[in-house]
Amino acid sequence: MLTAMASTDQRPAFARTGRDWPNREASRFVTAGGLTWHVQEAGEGPVLLLVHGTGAATHSWRGLLPLLARDFRVIAPDLPGHGFTDPLPTPSLPRMARALAELLRVLDVQPQVAVGHSAGAAILARLCLDGGLAPRLLVGLNAALKPFPGMAGFIFPAMARALFINPVTPRVFAWSADRAAVERLIHGTGSTLDRTGLDLYRRLFQTPGHVAGALGMMAHWDLVPLDRDLPRLAGPLLLIVGGQDRTIAPDVSFGLADRLGVRARVELLRGLGHLAHEEKPEVAAELIRAGAEREGVLG
């Protein structure tokens, strides 16, 4: 089993790292499936679930969550090993999906709308396919639903495993995560964030436990079975795509929509990158609301 135990005891502390966390008043901690989860909840109405991507946390929804809370009861957890949630020993896609299913069971909620960013969309799709979630609308924000093409599909996970297995790697990465390095990393996704957004990512990347959680997720990730099973998705799928996304090419979402036919719809956000929902949360919120209205979730 791959481990990075030297870093798991250096998790972000909510009292310190989360001292001024976005939407902190909505935060609470929930025990489910043997993990302590950091969960944010706000608003009333149909339940809407937000699931962030690799390396992020609930701060990714700092602008979107309050907007959606006007119409929905919004639930947004930190994924295992990310932010302030405990890590899983083996954070593979099926295990992450099962862990999330257990959290939803403990919370006693059945989301009518499920929104996932990047790898978060893959977790939600897996959960839907495995019968643990049946939303009336599934939304992917720059969704990472297909394996990297060619040799990249082998090389990138292998590199992540090599880094993850070395207990020194998360500490080295954390030590080097200064403002300039984080700005380069975010710029590489095709997005431009304000100073607050950059500082929140920097705060997380400077914590070895969070870095270990992200590396562990990438090291255990395998999208081949999901890609094979995607045609079995039962409900409608809304894909919101940043036209400048340098992490996942917009063509991936358009190709998936062609493959799934009438069940999938693509909305292209020109000039925005992989973190489009952070750059223009009001645009993402409106598209999600419109999708919910089309499916009868909102009157």
Side-chain angles (χ1 to χ4, degrees):
M1 180 183 297
L2 298 176
T3 58
M5 297 305 293
S7 296
T8 57
D9 60 345
Q10 300 178 52
R11 302 292 314 151
F14 194 62
R16 184 178 64 254
T17 308
R19 61 192 180 277
D20 55 353
W21 202 246
N23 304 306
R24 196 179 197 276
E25 68 283 356
S27 291
R28 62 184 174 122
F29 288 85
V30 178
T31 300
L35 304 177
T36 298
W37 297 72
H38 171 239
V39 180
Q40 293 192 328
E41 182 173 345
E44 296 181 356
V47 176
L48 183 149
L49 176 65
L50 291 173
V51 179
H52 65 78
T54 310
T58 46
H59 77 285
S60 185
W61 312 119
R62 63 191 177 281
L64 188 58
L65 185 149
L67 295 174
L68 292 174
R70 298 171 183 175
D71 299 288
F72 300 95
R73 176 187 173 191
V74 182
I75 295 174
D78 284 344
L79 286 173
H82 290 67
F84 308 103
T85 294
D86 290 344
L88 280 171
T90 308
S92 65
L93 176 54
R95 288 197 176 193
M96 292 286 261
R98 287 196 295 270
L100 183 58
E102 181 61 18
L103 174 65
L104 297 177
R105 186 193 68 78
V106 169
L107 294 175
D108 193 24
V109 294
Q110 297 178 345
Q112 296 296 294
V113 179
V115 181
H117 172 243
S118 194
I123 294 171
L124 291 175
R126 185 74 268 168
L127 192 50
C128 290
L129 289 163
D130 293 345
L133 186 66
R136 294 169 71 177
L137 176 65
L138 177 62
V139 181
L141 302 169
N142 291 309
L145 297 175
K146 287 184 66 67
F148 285 108
M151 284 298 292
F154 169 78
I155 293 172
F156 289 165
M159 288 177 60
R161 283 191 290 272
L163 292 170
F164 178 67
I165 204 169
N166 185 344
V168 176
T169 301
R171 290 199 295 270
V172 172
F173 187 97
W175 290 336
S176 64
D178 59 16
R179 179 170 290 175
V182 171
E183 192 162 359
R184 287 193 300 270
L185 183 64
I186 297 300
H187 181 73
T189 71
S191 286
T192 301
L193 299 185
D194 61 19
R195 185 58 57 191
T196 297
L198 291 171
D199 285 346
L200 287 164
Y201 276 105
R202 180 173 57 89
R203 194 182 303 180
L204 288 175
F205 292 159
Q206 287 179 332
T207 309
H210 178 83
V211 175
L215 285 174
M217 188 171 165
M218 289 187 286
H220 293 91
W221 219 237
D222 180 7
L223 291 177
V224 173
L226 177 66
D227 183 51
R228 180 191 62 224
D229 294 342
L230 279 176
R232 294 196 290 107
L233 272 178
L237 174 64
L238 171 62
L239 297 168
I240 300 174
V241 181
Q244 298 298 117
D245 190 348
R246 297 178 190 165
T247 303
I248 300 167
D251 286 349
V252 171
S253 292
F254 283 99
L256 178 59
D258 288 342
R259 184 178 168 199
L260 298 182
V262 295
R263 288 172 294 159
R265 178 189 185 106
V266 181
E267 296 284 356
L268 180 65
L269 304 183
R270 299 185 184 279
L272 300 179
H274 191 60
L275 302 174
H277 64 287
E278 296 192 46
E279 295 178 277
K280 295 289 184 181
E282 66 281 0
V283 175
E286 187 53 42
L287 289 173
I288 293 168
R289 282 196 201 96
E293 289 172 357
R294 281 193 301 271
E295 302 307 324
V297 178
L298 295 177

